[in-house]
Amino acid sequence: MGRLIVVSNRVPSDGPPSGGLVVALHDCLKHNGGVWFGTSGDIVEDPEDSFAELSGDGYKMRTFDLSPAEQQGYYLGYANSVLWPLCHRRADLMALNAGDYDVYDSVNRRLARMMAPELRPDDHIWIHDYHFLPLAACLRAEGVTATIGYFHHIPFPATHDLMALPQRDLFAGWMASFDLFGLQTQRDVAAALEMFRGLNGAEQLRDGSISLNDRRFEIRSFPIGIDADAFVKEAQSTDGRSLLNFAPDERLVIGVDRLDYSKGLDNRFRAFGRFLENRIVDEPRASLLQIAPPTREDVDAYQQIRDALEGTAGKVNGEHSDLGWTPIRYIHHAVPRDTLAALYRAADVGFVTPFCDGMNLVAKEFVAAQDPADPGVLILSQFAGAVEQMASALIVNPYDIGEMAQALKQALAMPLHERQDRHEALARGVFRNDVAHWTQTYLDTMARISTERAALT
Ligand code: GDG
């Protein structure tokens, strides 16, 4: 294979790579050689039309700055206030500000213009996420012929919601400019195929690929995984319970999410409140530890969710606390990764209840962190992409407060042999389909497509 070219919104240029996805991409780049392109994180008045170059251990990192107007229109505006809600079934939250799309488009064009002279025809270009949906079309316009893959980390939008996107007529063309359009789940692939079924000029070919005008490309699912082995080591590094001021028999329910409206946090707190209402007084107490670091706080919808959640936590705690106990502990800042891993391991229940989620890595991290001899129970929303691979979790409907409260009761009362059986089935998938497997499968598919294309020319 030629060089690997990675594009992601942020290049992880500050310090050693950390986090499963970043480390996995770093390892692939180190192995194949190549370039990682993306923003530097710096906002400057007049960003130049050129890249800074950094060394990335066997590969190059090329970063570019954004102007304040680009940060607003491209990142906070079109990417996170239009595409993010659109893809998470919240078309009602789309902030359709005239001009944001133009800025988003111009950042993609500028990036394509800067990248094109550095690319070679045998490169394999792997573009990550909704910040760069039009990037392949922009690169093709610059004459780039290399194989281009894309991975959509978030859900594919419902066809009905897509009709609310002013750029709906461009969407299919953006997708068709890639050679491989990767999605998290079969459910997402079905949604994407449904969109093409209704589209004039589009056809699904016998080999499953889609043809649109003069382009032919594939839509496939690649469920992302975690670095499960590394996570086990982190989870074992500290005794999680020693970090908490807990009574010896107090039970721990854990939630970990960026504070985002897609994660269903308010309903989760309500469900925990309902569970407490139904609790038998002599039962050991259970507390909910919710870690929810802030994210995109400059976007209105995120301030609203913060206010709502603080209100619900206050209400539940006001009703159920006593002098020595606060049932919901809500931490609105990030904790170190090894602390997080140790807390997962100490928890009796992982409470993962998004309304809509591409995959949800927290569910996989919780499973990897457990002690197989005495594992905790995973409660998982039917709307997390992870559910396709994690049928042995307790699956819940995050809109149904009563069902979630009942699942908490069931999880906390679950006998050891059932917890072990469920955990064994879940862990098998998490360790087998880890992030290294994911990158390898994706890159193998790109390599196959590139060989097939070469044979046709
Ligand atoms: C997007 C898609 C898809 C959270 N709090 C802390 C912390 N985290 C880490 C978790 C986990 C990651 O952040 C969150 O990943 P998720 O997958 O749960 O969700 P998104 O951030 O929305 O990610 C999602 C993912 O992309 C990958 O394709 O699964 O569906 O929405 O790793 O552990 N990490 C640390 N401290 C915290 O306080 N260190």
Side-chain angles (χ1 to χ4, degrees), residues 327-376:
I328 297 183
R329 301 187 192 186
Y330 165 43
I331 299 180
H332 185 50
H333 55 77
V335 302
R337 199 166 177 74
D338 54 347
T339 304
L340 194 64
L343 289 170
Y344 284 139
R345 190 174 177 90
D348 299 283
V349 179
F351 204 15
V352 182
T353 58
F355 292 135
C356 192
D357 216 331
M359 176 55 60
N360 194 295
L361 296 180
V362 168
K364 296 188 172 185
E365 292 167 357
F366 176 79
V367 167
Q370 295 310 303
D371 173 1
D374 185 16

Side-chain angles (χ1 to χ4, degrees), residues 203-211 216 218 220:
E203 191 188 349
Q204 185 165 13
L205 306 176
R206 288 165 75 100
D207 64 359
S209 61
I210 303 286
S211 91
R216 188 176 146 181
E218 297 187 14
R220 303 215 174 275

Side-chain angles (χ1 to χ4, degrees), residues 95-253:
L96 297 174
N97 294 320
D100 282 355
Y101 169 69
D102 295 336
V103 180
Y104 174 83
D105 181 53
S106 78
V107 168
N108 274 272
R109 282 178 200 279
R110 180 156 77 92
L111 176 57
R113 224 172 26 248
M114 297 191 306
M115 286 176 69
E118 303 200 14
L119 299 175
R120 304 174 191 159
D122 66 342
D123 284 340
H124 288 177
I125 305 170
W126 191 6
I127 296 170
H128 288 262
D129 241 350
Y130 56 101
H131 313 86
F132 300 118
L133 277 167
L135 186 56
C138 300
L139 287 166
R140 300 295 182 211
E142 295 292 327
V144 172
T145 57
T147 304
I148 310 180
Y150 169 87
F151 188 74
H152 197 62
H153 287 259
I154 63 177
F156 193 83
T159 303
H160 176 270
D161 288 345
L162 257 174
M163 288 163 67
L165 184 72
Q167 292 72 34
R168 59 191 168 273
D169 294 340
L170 302 176
F171 206 88
W174 292 340
M175 289 177 68
S177 299
F178 295 99
D179 297 291
L180 176 61
F181 196 90
L183 292 160
Q184 297 272 26
T185 63
Q186 292 299 340
R187 191 153 64 187
D188 291 309
V189 170
L193 293 178
E194 185 193 320
M195 185 196 93
F196 279 96
R197 260 196 296 280
L199 198 72
N200 263 347
E203 191 188 349
Q204 185 165 13
L205 306 176
R206 288 165 75 100
D207 64 359
S209 61
I210 303 286
S211 91
L212 181 68
N213 304 325
D214 57 341
R215 297 272 326 154
R216 188 176 146 181
F217 75 108
E218 297 187 14
I219 301 174
R220 303 215 174 275
S221 85
F222 300 90
I224 195 168
I226 61 164
D227 186 346
D229 294 326
F231 218 82
V232 173
K233 289 200 193 90
E234 289 190 286
Q236 289 172 336
S237 63
T238 314
D239 170 11
R241 278 194 86 91
S242 71
L243 305 171
L244 301 160
N245 188 12
F246 262 38
D249 64 348
E250 191 170 337
R251 316 291 300 278
L252 172 61
V253 178

